[in-house]
Amino acid sequence: MKTLLTIDLDYIAEPYIELYHKVISMESVQRNWDIILNDPALTKANFDVNISNIVYMFDVYHKALRYCDNVVFGLHHDAILYELEPFDQSIDLILNLDHHHDIWYPSSSVPDTQYGMVSDGMWLKFLSETIDIKKYIWIGNENSDTYKGEVPNFEFKDFNKKTFEFTEEDAKEVDFIYICLSPNYVPKFHWFYFVIMKNAYENYYGESAKIINDNYKTNPKRTNPDMALSYLEEE
């Protein structure tokens, strides 16, 4: 595979995502938002999205969509691993537009990947221990936490929208696109951006989009997708 482009919708939640993402527990999307939206310290303005990030995200997506019809949508980022099984290929470049770097956030001395487990925040480490990734480019936000873990076994560069230009030539190299909703990090009233991206694919290529509604099978905190799926189906 030449280039894997993946876009996580939590990228547009800058800068306010940092106000609420610390209280998130992955077990229940509904529980997360009941707690967050009932916090008197937070107001509706605290859930605004970054308009310039939206413009940048759609520019990258539509450029790549013109050349790549291999597009999958998922509620959670680690579910991308289903599409990369049986892990018998190498990837020249992973380009990730995301508030989080998703390599590994070291909360313990032993990564869960050592035990075959994975989560949204470390699917890249899991993947890099399974297949050969030559280069990883992360386009994060100015208030994103930088990577502080061990040196990864692939070339790693981090940018933001001001320092990375996604060109037409870059778009021509993309042979797989994965769009992630991240319902635990993106407020429900912004999920329609995911629907717009899904509709763009369906209108452009004339076929129904594939949506993966759960975490990867070895994620110990596989979440209940019902709330997200019911909303998307209503749309």
Side-chain angles (χ1 to χ4, degrees):
M1 183 180 294
K2 291 182 179 179
T3 299
L4 186 165
L5 169 64
T6 179
I7 299 175
D8 191 322
L9 266 289
D10 72 8
Y11 173 74
I12 68 174
E14 182 199 30
Y16 301 110
I17 188 172
E18 291 299 315
L19 294 178
Y20 58 78
H21 89 285
K22 300 295 184 186
V23 304
I24 289 173
S25 66
M26 302 303 287
E27 287 83 354
S28 170
V29 173
Q30 184 66 61
R31 176 182 177 276
N32 290 340
W33 291 111
D34 282 347
I35 293 172
I36 294 167
L37 295 174
N38 285 290
D39 187 339
L42 299 174
T43 66
K44 192 174 189 310
N46 291 137
F47 303 101
D48 290 344
V49 292
N50 186 313
I51 300 301
S52 64
N53 279 21
I54 294 172
V55 172
Y56 184 85
M57 176 184 73
F58 276 111
D59 179 66
V60 170
Y61 175 58
H62 284 288
K63 277 181 181 175
L65 191 62
R66 290 176 56 202
Y67 300 101
C68 179
D69 63 355
N70 185 16
V71 185
V72 174
F73 298 79
L75 301 191
H76 305 284
H77 220 153
D78 57 309
I80 192 175
L81 297 170
Y82 285 118
E83 298 303 304
L84 301 176
E85 290 179 334
F87 307 124
D88 58 355
Q89 59 186 315
S90 64
I91 302 176
D92 291 342
L93 171 64
I94 295 178
L95 179 61
N96 184 25
L97 192 62
D98 194 332
H99 183 75
H100 305 95
H101 55 70
D102 287 355
I103 301 174
W104 175 45
Y105 289 86
S107 57
S108 65
S109 59
V110 182
D112 287 343
T113 54
Q114 181 172 324
Y115 305 99
M117 295 186 291
V118 68
S119 68
D120 290 67
M122 61 177 188
W123 64 268
L124 268 157
K125 180 173 178 57
F126 179 94
L127 185 63
S128 70
E129 293 175 354
T130 310
I131 68 172
D132 179 33
I133 300 172
K134 293 185 169 51
K135 185 175 183 179
Y136 172 51
I137 292 178
W138 171 45
I139 304 171
N141 287 316
E142 293 184 21
N143 67 334
S144 295
D145 286 338
T146 57
Y147 177 63
K148 302 179 180 69
E150 61 191 27
V151 178
N153 59 354
F154 47 80
E155 181 183 353
F156 170 51
K157 295 183 180 296
D158 60 313
F159 297 90
N160 59 54
K161 63 180 180 290
K162 296 178 181 177
T163 57
F164 185 86
E165 179 185 3
F166 186 74
T167 67
E168 202 75 18
E169 293 306 310
D170 293 328
K172 291 177 182 178
E173 295 296 310
V174 173
D175 40 24
F176 177 48
I177 301 172
Y178 183 79
I179 306 298
C180 168
L181 173 61
S182 283
N184 281 289
Y185 293 100
V186 180
K188 181 175 180 178
F189 38 82
H190 295 313
W191 290 359
F192 69 90
Y193 290 107
F194 182 84
V195 178
I196 290 173
M197 298 175 88
K198 178 181 75 72
N199 290 350
Y201 164 78
E202 292 179 337
N203 291 330
Y204 198 90
Y205 287 106
E207 55 186 57
S208 297
K210 178 178 180 179
I211 301 177
I212 303 174
N213 63 11
D214 203 355
N215 294 91
Y216 189 61
K217 57 193 174 188
T218 61
N219 187 330
K221 295 183 177 180
R222 295 179 72 182
T223 58
N224 186 338
D226 291 347
M227 186 184 80
L229 278 182
S230 63
Y231 175 80
L232 293 174
E233 287 167 356
E234 289 170 9
E235 294 297 302

